[in-house]
Amino acid sequence: MIIILYRIRPSIYQTQLTDFIGLESMEKYDMNVPKDYRIARKKFRWISIHPTWGKRRTPTTSLLTKSQKKIHDFIDWEPRLKDKYLYRFPSVKIPRFEEFGLGVISKMEWDLHRYLTVFNGFFENLFEFNDFSYFQDLQGILENRGVSFKDMFIEDVLAYEMLRINLGFKNYTGIEKMGRYLAYPPLFSITHDHNFFPNARDISHVLTRIPAEALFEFFQLLVKECVDCGIIVPRILIWDGQFIRSNCNNNKKKGQSKYTDPDAGYCRHNGVKKGVGYDPGILYAHCFNRWFPIYFKMFPGNRNDILAFRETMEGFFALTKYKWQVLIADSGPYSLQNMENMRFKGLVPIIRARKNLKTHPIRELKKGFFFNTNYIPNGWSDDYFLKIYSFRPMIEQGNSYNNTYYNAYRMNNRGMDAAIKLRSLIYILELLKALTAHKLGRPDLIMKPSAFESSRHSNFRQMLPYKVRKSGYLYFNSEDVLRRRIKSFYGVLP
């Protein structure tokens, strides 16, 4: 509802469409205040507005008389939430060996994963426990269109690219140098050809021919699988951004109107000059003790938070099939239109407001934390509202892995598609780790970025028996070895 207050002439009450569907929205402007008059004149050109500066009239105690009230004035907005159970999430279930491990790994290796807490799994497990047939179908479609991959398999190349990301190399030359140390290709056990070991040129050739939309689609398939397995619970969304530095100069060449990366933009955030690159709008799903990326939309570095948030949410709601209940964000994307859009979608928008807003009902719930009181659900205390908002830093922790662990602050190439591919591969790797940890019965590895780092074939047979014995288990290969080690363990002479 729009309310235009006058001191002499009758006030104007303009009902909006949102008022009839139970969504409370009220904008009030006093024509005796010059600032309110200027704002209202610009926003509502279809309403006859006249200033009444200097006029005096005894203000009424009630803005709306009983004769003007309608049914929708008595309807309170009640979100469909479980209230105190909103932040309670079920734990990830531990499967049996027969569900995922049978026919993939031996029972002994399953037991090592399951019971040996110092054991963090193998990188090969990511490809043994998950289905990559999507890329086989994709390669068939692209080759029918005339795209050449030089007799290389897409999933083999992606395996080496994800190995590079997982080990934190800025470019693929680090993997090439590591290959000189080993007597065999690092991933010979999971590639189609055991002798396949691509160089940097092969990686670039294949990755440039994979559509960015294909990697993003596979990322969304993994999100759906995580929801089906109970790893992700569709309830609480967190929105934020993260700057990605492009592999280009921060200055434009003389006489040029664009940077050497024409898709990128110069990013300034909170007064800090970050350089030329990209700034995606990212959505995480918060599930108490775990949080995962579920969607992102790439933008140039000079994007506006309010518009980027709006476009990100529009793309997300066009794609998702789940019912979400809460959205959390900092003050960057705050605007009345964004708040109304979220509430129209059935979400509670817990977004910080800026303290200098004069026409919004802003209240400071905690020192430095301002919120619009029109969007606090009825029955929620300030402490409960702030408790839900306290989940917001989890997305910053999740984003920090990209720069600190995966070393992906700066791209090693240019272009919007390259930025989408890089971020999609990182999120694919994170979700593959979560799914593999679940299928191996190790929920403690779901949120561990250093999990599945080692290889099954790198000094594994020399070091693993030692780790097993240190953990109190007996490791044996045959009855003779078992008999000898039992005697040695208990000090029995042969």
Side-chain angles (χ1 to χ4, degrees), residues 149-167:
F149 292 98
K150 296 183 178 180
D151 297 328
M152 292 182 287
F153 290 90
I154 291 179
E155 57 263 40
D156 293 348
V157 173
L158 290 181
Y160 276 97
E161 177 65 8
M162 284 191 280
L163 176 64
R164 176 194 71 82
I165 296 173
N166 195 41
L167 296 180

Side-chain angles (χ1 to χ4, degrees), residues 239 299 303-313 332-333 338:
W239 184 92
F299 298 96
R303 55 109 168 140
N304 177 273
D305 275 351
I306 296 177
L307 298 180
F309 173 84
R310 193 172 302 162
E311 293 183 27
T312 303
M313 298 309 299
N338 286 343

